[in-house]
Amino acid sequence: SGQIFYNKFRNAASYSQRTLPVIGAASLDVGDEALSAYDELDSTVLKDYADFSLASQVFYAMLEGQASEQSSRMSAMEAASSNATDMIDALQLQFNRTRQAVITRELIEIISGA
């Protein structure tokens, strides 16, 4: 028995760290009435159940981690796109001001007869 640590997807802006308990075949009791209520159990069935349970938990943790990663990537790309748009706007404004200053200086030179 042990634990699986993973990132639990909450929403597009956040995730949280969680743990899942791992139940091994040794911790399952063949004589437990709750387990044997529906089917006859032997050590092979319990081992198969423990293997399936572990695989399911690992797969679940991987899916949650992938969803969290994609959400983080989406948020990062959205922030990068917004920053790039702001930078483009600032550079366009600087370019237009510089171009206007050059045109104004040339007009002043032409008018002053230099």
Side-chain angles (χ1 to χ4, degrees):
S1 89
Q3 291 182 336
I4 298 174
F5 294 89
Y6 68 101
N7 292 323
K8 170 82 173 149
F9 176 76
R10 291 191 342 199
N11 57 38
S14 68
Y15 59 91
S16 62
Q17 287 77 31
R18 298 279 175 94
T19 61
L20 282 175
V22 176
I23 300 172
S27 62
L28 296 174
D29 185 17
V30 176
D32 190 8
E33 291 180 19
L35 288 175
S36 63
Y38 300 104
D39 198 3
E40 290 186 24
L41 297 176
D42 58 0
S43 62
T44 306
V45 172
L46 288 179
K47 182 183 177 315
D48 290 344
Y49 171 74
D51 291 345
F52 177 77
S53 176
L54 177 63
S56 296
Q57 288 177 330
V58 169
F59 185 66
Y60 172 77
M62 289 174 59
L63 288 178
E64 287 289 336
Q66 184 69 20
S68 298
E69 180 184 355
Q70 291 299 327
S71 174
S72 295
R73 287 176 185 249
M74 183 182 71
S75 296
M77 288 304 296
E78 186 175 333
S81 295
S82 176
N83 289 341
T85 301
D86 293 345
M87 185 180 290
I88 288 170
D89 291 343
L91 290 173
Q92 186 71 39
L93 183 63
Q94 181 182 1
F95 173 77
N96 287 339
R97 285 182 180 168
T98 304
R99 184 174 54 91
Q100 187 64 39
V102 169
I103 291 171
T104 303
R105 186 179 61 228
E106 288 178 358
L107 284 175
I108 291 172
E109 289 174 1
I110 291 172
I111 292 172
S112 67

